[in-house]
Amino acid sequence: MKSKTSFLPQEGEARPSRCPDNSAFKQQKLPAWKPQLTIATVLSSFFLTGAFCLSVGVCLILSANSVREIQIDYSDKCSDCSKLRENSSNWNKECHCSVNFTLKEDILGDVFMYYGLQNFYQNHRRYVISRSDAQLLGRNVNIQKSYCAPFTTYRNGTAMAPCGAIANSMFNDTIDLFYNLNSSVIQVPLLKTGNSWWTDKNVKFRNPKSYNLSSAFAGTARPPYWQKPVYLLDEEDERNNGYVNDDFIIWMRVSAFATFRNLYRRVSRIRQFVNGLPAGNYTFRISYNFPVTKFKGRKHVILSTVVWSGGSNPFLGIAYVVSGTAVTLTGFVITAIHLRLRKKKTYFQK
């Protein structure tokens, strides 16, 4: 048996070299390009970047300002319904209110209707995770193991479909728009499908497989704050029911801020509204179901157009303008410092 010392190099024996191979890669001799930063290249980079950001920012701001938008707050105008909804025992009592407004100019093009909520915090961690994605895919899962608690089952053991706090708090006001033309009242045709993302409608949300939707949700019950089961969300269109209902899908995409808006309807461009909404008198008729007084919230209805950059939100344009201004000013400061140092250098050389 050899001793441990026999593995060590003996006197006179050459130690194995630990140097890397003599190759261009391992010796770091590969060709490389090293930019030579001169005052001309640095200043041109600053000024070109500043000009680009300023031009993009101005275009975005002008685009956002071209959006036509009208916002109606109906929190106070529907105060009687709001007081009725403060008592949860009145959940089965209907309450309607009307809000009149006037469009002084035509809103041309595609018109979108949004509902807006103020002081409604959807960014709480427990609220955000209170859902079962497996259930929303139509799978038969044990929601007791999900994060839906306490909105999982009723006391008798009946499972909620859908479960979780997000689904339970779904916005459920019904809003209709009417055009008052002379002595006649015309209901504005609104599209309630095609408003959600394609990936949500076709990938992330699926109904359980069954020969009809009511049997697919047999053995389940609606969430406590809902007025109808999930398979009756849209009684006029069977394809817009269950977990693939557009209003439900849009609500399940939570907002990062306490004040937000969600797409509710699109104006169908037919008959008198082929070019958009004409100027005149209009009325919102609202079936008031969503209470907001307990958390001091507000509710709005927004009619808006969109442009290539999106809706009426100048934040991105302002951010570009501020960034471009900062970069341009930095370029001028560097230019002034360079000229001053060059002047001193020329003076001392003399």
Side-chain angles (χ1 to χ4, degrees), residues 76-87:
D76 297 331
K77 297 179 180 179
C78 298
S79 57
D80 293 338
C81 292
S82 179
K83 293 178 181 178
L84 180 69
R85 290 289 176 253
E86 288 180 6
N87 188 349

Side-chain angles (χ1 to χ4, degrees), residues 309-328:
S309 61
S312 178
N313 188 354
F315 173 78
L316 187 60
I318 294 173
Y320 267 102
V321 169
V322 171
S323 301
T325 303
V327 172
T328 304

Side-chain angles (χ1 to χ4, degrees), residues 143-144 150-163 168 219-229:
I143 59 175
Q144 293 285 2
F151 302 102
T152 52
T153 59
Y154 287 92
R155 293 182 179 179
N156 60 1
T158 304
M160 298 182 188
C163 70
N168 184 57
T220 65
R222 59 176 176 80
Y225 289 174
W226 285 27
Q227 296 178 327
K228 57 180 71 174

Side-chain angles (χ1 to χ4, degrees), residues 158-225:
T158 304
M160 298 182 188
C163 70
I166 305 176
N168 184 57
S169 60
M170 177 181 168
F171 182 87
N172 57 349
D173 282 358
T174 302
I175 306 171
D176 294 315
L177 180 61
F178 293 87
Y179 178 43
N180 305 317
L181 180 62
N182 299 327
S183 58
S184 60
V185 177
I186 303 171
Q187 184 171 5
V188 179
L190 300 175
L191 300 174
K192 54 186 174 182
T193 57
N195 299 324
S196 59
W197 293 8
W198 185 92
T199 52
D200 288 345
K201 187 84 171 181
N202 297 277
V203 179
K204 294 183 179 181
F205 293 83
R206 297 283 181 86
N207 283 324
K209 294 182 179 179
S210 182
Y211 63 92
N212 62 44
L213 207 55
S214 60
S215 63
F217 289 97
T220 65
R222 59 176 176 80
Y225 289 174

